[in-house]
Amino acid sequence: MCGIVGYIGSKNSVPVLIEGLQKLEYRGYDSAGIAVYNNGSISVRKYKGRLAVLEEKLQQDTLDGCLGIGHTRWATHGEPSDVNSHPHTNCSGDIAVVHNGIIENYMQIKAFLIEKGYVFVSETDTEVLAHYVDFFYEGDLIKAVRKVLQKVRGSYAFAVISKQEPDKIVCVRKENPLIVGIGEGENYIASDIPAILAHTRKIYLLNENELTILTKDSITFLDEEDREIKKDIFEVNWDVAAAEKGGYEHFMIKEIHEQPKAVKDTMTSRIVPDSPTIKLDDIKLTKEDLEGINKIFIVACGTAYHAGMVGKYVIEKLAKIPVEVDIASEFRYRTPIVDNKTLTIIVSQSGETLDTFAALKEAKKHGSRILSVVNVVGSSIARESHDVLYTWAGPEIAVASTKAYTTQIIALYEIALHMAHLKGTLSDEQIAEIKNEMMKLPEMVKAALEHKDTIQKFATRNSNAADMFFLGRGLDYAVALEGSLKMKEISYIHAEAYAAGELKHGTIALIEPGTVVIAILTQDELFEKMVSNVKEVKARGAFVFAIAKEGNKEIETVADYTLFIPHVSDILAPIVSVIPLQLMAYYMAVEKGCDVDKPRNLAKSVTVE
């Protein structure tokens, strides 16, 4: 959520800032603004609404300046409005700040500053930063920011510019993403790589609490003791086009169709042909290590949490190690029993999710080994972990995650097979059989994508549904949860997922004539029970869309719509069965005219608790 862009150089910063903010729109926002040093003063333009509003205003009221910072805001403190938008300034307008995250003690600081005569115009915690920098400013912006950092609590990334020192941007990150882009006679800051990828492929990844000073010709990093830090340059090796729509109407549908490649890429080089071993990149998880582990936690949020539920089932079934799956925002507050005999698997697309990052640090504090499954190289979670397994999904721009989910599951399969091999809980032949079928998954996913017409017809008929229920058993229940989340996220239809065996324990009371039910029946040993559950809801008037494996024709005689996916083993079915659910959510949202890539109230990377 929220996006920061900054530029210092010799050309007009405004086009650079606007372009950068456009590339960060996927993060979710409700207002946008820029602050530019212009003819001896800082000019601020900020407006509620989409970035197009800011762009239109700037066409009528042009700005030109070689130093600037920009921001897209997702409201936390104060409603979306022009005045609550970033950047924020001090009373004189000489200092401007953009900020992501939360200043936890802003109320105390605000009260202190009001006593000192400062006047506040917004409801935000960010405006406190602007006035606080002003309070400490005595001609040295770096020293003023350092004093602020010694007083504020929370998680944040922010950047500051000053009229008195127009040769620099001062910024810092703590538990919120921020990167620095390296140019020639110009430098950049951004919340994420796509914002500056058109200008440079050379970046610095900022670590926790590093103070960074940019001029047009230099970049300086200071630790908390103001000692200079030397950092390695990170070269971005993916194409700018990977973050473009490429002819698709929305990023989400593009990313759904990228899943065959993403799944294949996440397996390439890891699933070794003609060998029982799984090569987990540089992860050194030995047989002796596993013998010292008596429990695994999988910790994640949202879609990643649903991937973790599949991971629990698979690790327990294949490697015979007890696994608990936790929602990250609950994990550290329930005093989990974690020690040096615990392995904690952290799952996150962005690698920056604040709740998940906090859970990682909690587990690490208690001696747990951390293995993270993330998509973004060099992200905070990746850098803080003992081991990292990257999901090679490429940039995921749409807020609703699709290819990140399927690649996270692939990564968890790889971890489970590696553990099963080390522990000897599966024979070499059993591992080979699973691996061989995994290599067929990209083609199975491609086949599942070909059901677009059936799903579009269903969406046209049911886009006005007020409620939808997703039912499944075993792994199908985990997939039902993800399908339900997708439907809620982008179509705004109230959708709930239930373990089908729970129907008679209360849920069936909600079924009435016309209620839309999505039934997932891919687990062979549970198929007959699921057919019975479908009959139960049909008897009460439900309209049923069923997803089953090829060959299970019986369900056609019961359901109103039936979609068959390629025949796949039960344990690998979630990779294929989720595809129709993603498409269903997408086409329902399109039919309703929803903003598919930027659903209301949501953000791609959640950087506040």
Side-chain angles (χ1 to χ4, degrees):
M1 67 178 60
C2 304
I4 288 174
V5 179
Y7 172 82
I8 185 166
S10 302
K11 60 191 179 190
N12 184 9
S13 64
V14 175
V16 178
L17 298 176
I18 295 299
E19 179 189 35
L21 294 177
Q22 288 171 343
K23 301 299 184 185
L24 294 177
E25 285 189 291
Y26 70 90
R27 296 170 68 89
Y29 69 102
D30 49 50
S31 57
I34 61 173
V36 175
Y37 178 74
N38 182 350
N39 296 324
S41 64
I42 294 176
S43 299
V44 176
R45 304 289 185 272
K46 54 181 186 173
Y47 304 98
K48 174 187 174 182
R50 292 300 189 196
L51 188 58
V53 177
L54 174 63
E55 292 180 84
E56 184 180 343
K57 297 287 188 182
L58 287 171
Q59 288 175 357
Q60 303 164 6
D61 180 16
T62 58
L63 285 181
D64 191 345
C66 300
L67 167 68
I69 51 178
H71 191 270
T72 51
R73 176 180 186 252
W74 189 81
T76 51
H77 292 83
E79 66 180 9
S81 67
D82 290 356
V83 73
N84 284 333
S85 305
H86 297 213
H88 288 280
T89 67
N90 62 339
C91 295
S92 63
D94 292 348
I95 292 168
V97 178
V98 289
H99 159 239
N100 292 346
I102 295 288
I103 304 301
E104 294 175 354
N105 59 336
Y106 85 101
M107 290 296 291
Q108 298 96 305
I109 298 170
K110 184 174 183 177
F112 167 80
L113 290 169
I114 289 172
E115 284 185 5
K116 298 295 182 182
Y118 285 85
V119 177
F120 286 78
V121 297
S122 79
E123 302 169 80
T124 69
D125 56 340
T126 302
E127 190 183 1
V128 166
L129 290 174
H131 292 308
Y132 216 20
V133 171
D134 175 86
F135 175 77
F136 288 116
Y137 188 75
E138 296 177 346
D140 189 324
L141 187 59
I142 299 168
K143 287 184 178 178
V145 171
R146 174 63 73 199
K147 289 178 180 178
V148 168
L149 293 176
Q150 291 167 355
K151 299 290 186 179
V152 298
R153 296 193 313 271
S155 60
Y156 45 76
F158 67 84
V160 188
I161 59 174
S162 170
K163 166 187 167 181
Q164 278 72 31
E165 299 178 62
D167 62 337
K168 64 173 65 73
I169 301 174
V170 179
C171 54
V172 66
R173 65 146 292 178
K174 180 186 177 188
E175 298 178 354
N176 272 246
L178 197 66
I179 61 168
V180 172
I182 308 163
E184 294 184 8
E186 58 188 11
N187 290 305
Y188 311 82
I189 59 168
S191 294
D192 204 355
I193 292 170
I196 57 174
L197 198 52
H199 303 282
T200 181
R201 290 181 172 275
K202 296 181 177 180
I203 67 171
Y204 288 116
L205 302 169
L206 303 191
N207 291 319
E208 291 289 281
N209 300 310
E210 287 182 350
L211 187 66
T212 306
I213 304 99
L214 285 76
T215 71
K216 69 184 187 70
D217 296 311
S218 67
I219 303 169
T220 304
F221 303 98
L222 302 176
D223 66 13
E224 293 179 82
E225 304 299 323
D226 282 332
R227 295 171 298 211
E228 190 166 343
I229 304 166
K230 299 299 179 185
K231 299 179 74 69
D232 294 329
I233 294 174
F234 177 77
E235 292 268 0
V236 180
N237 57 18
W238 42 271
D239 200 311
V240 179
E244 302 296 341
K245 288 181 185 174
Y248 288 92
E249 186 177 354
H250 300 98
F251 280 114
M252 183 178 177
I253 192 65
K254 170 179 179 274
E255 289 159 8
I256 289 172
H257 281 273
E258 287 174 340
Q259 287 176 110
K261 181 180 184 299
V263 167
K264 182 178 180 181
D265 288 349
T266 304
M267 293 189 295
T268 299
S269 80
R270 292 171 178 167
I271 296 182
V272 184
D274 305 317
S275 167
T277 60
I278 300 287
K279 190 176 185 302
L280 296 185
D281 301 344
D282 296 323
I283 295 173
K284 302 293 189 294
L285 190 63
T286 66
K287 181 179 180 180
E288 290 70 29
D289 292 332
L290 276 184
E291 288 172 348
I293 292 170
N294 56 25
K295 183 165 63 173
I296 296 173
F297 280 103
I298 299 178
V299 183
C301 298
T303 286
Y305 172 74
H306 297 155
M309 292 182 69
V310 175
K312 166 186 168 67
Y313 183 98
V314 173
I315 291 172
E316 289 187 337
K317 186 176 182 68
L318 302 185
K320 311 300 183 189
I321 302 173
V323 180
E324 288 188 38
V325 187
D326 261 88
I327 296 171
S329 57
E330 297 291 332
F331 180 76
R332 64 182 175 139
Y333 298 113
R334 69 173 185 84
T335 319
I337 302 171
V338 179
D339 55 27
N340 60 6
K341 293 184 179 180
T342 305
L343 173 66
T344 302
I345 300 176
I346 299 289
V347 187
S348 168
Q349 187 281 135
S350 67
E352 302 292 350
T353 310
L354 183 61
D355 287 320
T356 311
F357 189 45
L360 180 158
K361 293 198 287 188
E362 179 72 14
K364 198 173 181 182
K365 181 176 72 176
H366 291 286
S368 176
R369 180 169 178 166
I370 309 296
L371 193 169
S372 64
V373 175
V374 297
N375 191 40
V376 181
V377 176
S379 56
S380 298
I381 287 173
R383 283 180 283 158
E384 194 72 22
S385 302
H386 299 105
D387 303 293
V388 184
L389 191 63
Y390 287 109
T391 55
W392 298 118
E396 189 177 68
I397 307 301
V399 168
S401 181
T402 53
K403 62 180 180 172
Y405 171 79
T406 46
T407 53
Q408 284 165 353
I409 293 176
I410 290 292
L412 291 166
Y413 285 151
E414 291 168 340
I415 291 167
L417 285 172
H418 180 63
M419 291 176 172
H421 171 65
L422 292 179
K423 289 191 68 185
T425 51
L426 292 180
S427 68
D428 290 354
E429 291 74 21
Q430 289 172 312
I431 291 174
E433 185 179 345
I434 296 172
K435 285 168 54 181
N436 289 339
E437 190 170 10
M438 284 179 70
M439 296 306 292
K440 298 174 185 175
L441 286 173
E443 288 302 316
M444 292 183 183
V445 170
K446 193 178 295 184
L449 288 167
E450 293 173 2
H451 292 286
K452 172 182 135 180
D453 291 344
T454 300
I455 294 167
Q456 278 186 301
K457 287 177 186 175
F458 174 83
T460 301
R461 183 197 184 282
N462 295 283
S463 60
N464 291 325
D467 303 284
M468 293 180 70
F469 295 98
F470 290 70
L471 302 179
R473 289 173 179 256
L475 280 171
D476 285 340
Y477 171 54
V479 175
L481 285 164
E482 176 58 15
S484 167
L485 176 61
K486 285 290 150 294
M487 190 63 68
K488 282 181 278 209
E489 281 182 303
I490 63 169
S491 77
Y492 316 142
I493 293 172
H494 171 246
E496 298 292 342
Y498 294 98
E502 288 289 290
L503 270 175
K504 289 185 177 178
H505 296 279
T507 310
I508 205 163
L510 297 170
I511 303 298
E512 57 187 11
T515 301
V516 179
V517 173
I518 313 301
I520 310 166
L521 308 91
T522 72
Q523 303 298 293
D524 290 340
E525 65 179 358
L526 297 167
F527 179 77
E528 291 181 355
K529 288 183 172 59
M530 273 301 301
V531 170
S532 296
N533 294 137
V534 171
K535 289 179 178 178
E536 286 171 352
V537 296
K538 281 294 296 175
R540 288 153 180 85
F543 183 87
V544 178
F545 185 109
I547 298 170
K549 292 192 287 195
E550 290 172 348
N552 287 329
K553 295 289 187 179
E554 182 186 346
I555 190 61
E556 277 189 306
T557 64
V558 183
D560 297 281
Y561 276 70
T562 303
L563 187 152
F564 291 107
I565 62 171
H567 197 279
V568 60
S569 67
D570 287 10
I571 202 166
L572 298 180
I575 294 289
V576 188
S577 63
V578 76
I579 303 300
L581 301 181
Q582 295 171 345
L583 289 169
M584 186 183 294
Y586 173 78
Y587 286 115
M588 292 283 268
V590 169
E591 191 71 25
K592 293 183 67 178
C594 300
D595 191 342
V596 173
D597 288 334
K598 299 185 285 290
R600 67 188 183 201
N601 303 332
L602 297 179
K604 184 64 176 174
S605 180
V606 181
T607 52
V608 296
E609 284 194 88

